[in-house]
Structures are given as structure tokens and as C-alpha cells.
């Protein structure tokens, strides 16, 4: 009878062992499946992050190239170009504007009225700066009248100018672009004819 109990116990133990092995095998398979799914998800996330980084880097490079191109274009223009913030402080001057005003990089951050002071030809009275008018009225300002620009070295030249406000996507003025040229020779020629 003892042999029989031991044999039955051995059979039950073997059966339990087999069932336990099956449970362990299923648990291992389930764990491996979830690990594989997790690894796959991590790979997809990693690839997506890499794609986003590449796209961002490409967009940043394109923006830099675009900014460089615009700066080159503005620097190549023969007329003076001054760009201001909304408050009228200068943030950009092309080489022609530096030459015409006799101001260099020290003009950046200064009010446009200081760098581009205008006076009337006939009575030498100060004129309102067209940048402020363009910003306040949100419209292009330009006249064909001769204006006298008093340069940093106190020499004077005649200029014609035009100012356009820089208007953002919300319709708000964020600054202005002043374009001007030296018309001293033209003015002297007209004065000689009279």
C-alpha cells in the first residue's frame, strides 16, 4: 500500500510539475511578448524622436540660411536701410546707411531720431522723423520733398526717404523699415538750373 501511495503521489507530483512548467512557460512567453512589444514601442518612439530632431535641425538650418540671405540682400542694397523696433530703436543698418549717416554699429539700440535727424532745407528747423509717423499710423510714409540729414560728423546731405511699418500676423506694428538715398547732387543740379 505504501508503494501505491508513493506511486500515486509521484504521479500527482509529476502532473503538478508538468502543470507548473506549463504555467511558467506561458508566463515566460507572455513576459517575452510584452518585452518585445515594449521594445518595439521604444524603437518606434526613438525613431519618431530622431525624425523630429532631424526635421527641427533642417528647419533651423533653413531659417539660418534664410536670415543670412536676407541680411546679404539688405547689405547689398545701394540705398540706406535702417530697421527699427516698435519703439524706434535701431536693430539693423546696412553698409549704405552707415556710410550716409556716418554712424557704425554703435547706432544699434539707439533711437532713430538720434541717428537719422532731419531738418528743413529752408529754415533748418527739426522735422518729425518719418519712422514714428509710419509706426503710429500703420502705413507707408514717403514724400518727394527734399530733406536735410544731419550726419554724425555734422555735415549735411539732402535725402529722399520712405518708411514702411513692419506689421506682424496679428496686425500689430513690430517695427519699421526706413529706406533713404543721397540726392545732394540732384538737389544742387536743380538749384543751379534755377
Amino acid at each position: 500500500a505504501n508503494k501505491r501511495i508513493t506511486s500515486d503521489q509521484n504521479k500527482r507530483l509529476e502532473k503538478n510539475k508538468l502543470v507548473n512548467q506549463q504555467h511558467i512557460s506561458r508566463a515566460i512567453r507572455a513576459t517575452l511578448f510584452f518585452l518585445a512589444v515594449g521594445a518595439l514601442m521604444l524603437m518606434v518612439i526613438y525613431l519618431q524622436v530622431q525624425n523630429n530632431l532631424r526635421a527641427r535641425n533642417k528647419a533651423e538650418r533653413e531659417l539660418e540660411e534664410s536670415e543670412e540671405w536676407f541680411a546679404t540682400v539688405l547689405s547689398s542694397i545701394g540705398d540706406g536701410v535702417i530697421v527699427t523696433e516698435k519703439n524706434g530703436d535701431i536693430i539693423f543698418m546696412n553698409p549704405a546707411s552707415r556710410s550716409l549717416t556716418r554712424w557704425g554699429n554703435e547706432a544699434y539700440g539707439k533711437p532713430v531720431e538720434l541717428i537719422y535727424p532731419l531738418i528743413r532745407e529752408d529754415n533748418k528747423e527739426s522735422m518729425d522723423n518719418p519712422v514714428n509717423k509710419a509706426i503710429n499710423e500703420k502705413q507707408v510714409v514717403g514724400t518727394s520733398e527734399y530733406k536735410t540729414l544731419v550726419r554724425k560728423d555734422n555735415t549735411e546731405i539732402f535725402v529722399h526717404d520712405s518708411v514702411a511699418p513692419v506689421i506682424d500676423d496679428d496686425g500689430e506694428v513690430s517695427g519699421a523699415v526706413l529706406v533713404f538715398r543721397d540726392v545732394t547732387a540732384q538737389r544742387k543740379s536743380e538749384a543751379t538750373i534755377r
Side-chain angles (χ1 to χ4, degrees):
N2 254 351
K3 280 187 175 183
R4 207 161 140 216
I5 292 175
T6 306
S7 174
D8 285 341
Q9 285 176 343
N10 280 341
K11 285 180 184 177
R12 269 190 257 143
L13 284 173
E14 286 297 320
K15 186 178 179 183
N16 285 342
K17 188 176 177 184
L18 185 61
V19 168
N20 284 341
Q21 286 175 342
Q22 288 173 345
H23 287 302
I24 290 171
S25 178
R26 282 189 202 135
I28 290 172
R29 279 196 305 263
T31 302
L32 290 175
F33 174 76
F34 287 116
L35 285 175
V37 168
L40 182 62
M41 288 175 62
L42 285 175
M43 284 179 36
V44 167
I45 291 169
Y46 173 78
L47 292 173
Q48 186 64 38
V49 167
Q50 288 298 315
N51 283 339
N52 288 345
L53 287 174
R54 275 193 290 277
R56 180 178 177 189
N57 289 340
K58 180 181 177 192
E60 287 175 353
R61 276 193 313 277
E62 289 173 353
L63 179 61
E64 280 180 26
E65 290 170 3
S66 174
E67 287 174 349
E68 288 173 9
W69 184 82
F70 281 115
T72 300
V73 168
L74 287 174
S75 295
S76 301
I77 294 173
D79 291 344
V81 177
I82 296 176
V83 181
T84 72
E85 294 179 309
K86 183 179 181 175
N87 66 1
D89 289 349
I90 294 174
I91 57 174
F92 176 82
M93 292 178 71
N94 73 343
S97 68
R98 287 192 281 254
S99 175
L100 292 170
T101 64
R102 302 289 195 255
W103 282 87
N105 290 338
E106 72 275 12
Y108 288 179
K110 291 191 168 73
V112 70
E113 298 90 356
L114 176 66
I115 308 307
Y116 189 76
L118 299 172
I119 59 173
R120 297 195 186 289
E121 176 185 6
D122 54 356
N123 60 15
K124 304 293 184 190
E125 289 181 11
S126 290
M127 296 179 70
D128 290 335
N129 196 287
V131 170
N132 297 327
K133 185 175 181 181
I135 288 172
N136 292 334
E137 296 179 6
K138 289 187 177 182
Q139 64 183 12
V140 175
V141 175
T143 63
S144 59
E145 74 175 299
Y146 289 101
K147 299 173 186 172
T148 304
L149 169 64
V150 181
R151 305 192 291 187
K152 183 178 181 184
D153 61 7
N154 286 320
T155 58
E156 298 176 0
I157 60 171
F158 291 104
V159 294
H160 280 166
D161 59 25
S162 178
V163 184
V166 177
I167 299 176
D168 64 21
D169 292 338
D170 297 327
E172 296 298 318
V173 175
S174 62
V177 178
L178 164 66
V179 179
F180 62 102
R181 71 176 54 185
D182 182 354
V183 291
T184 303
Q186 178 182 342
R187 180 67 181 122
K188 286 181 179 178
S189 172
E190 288 176 8
T192 304
I193 293 173
R194 287 188 214 163

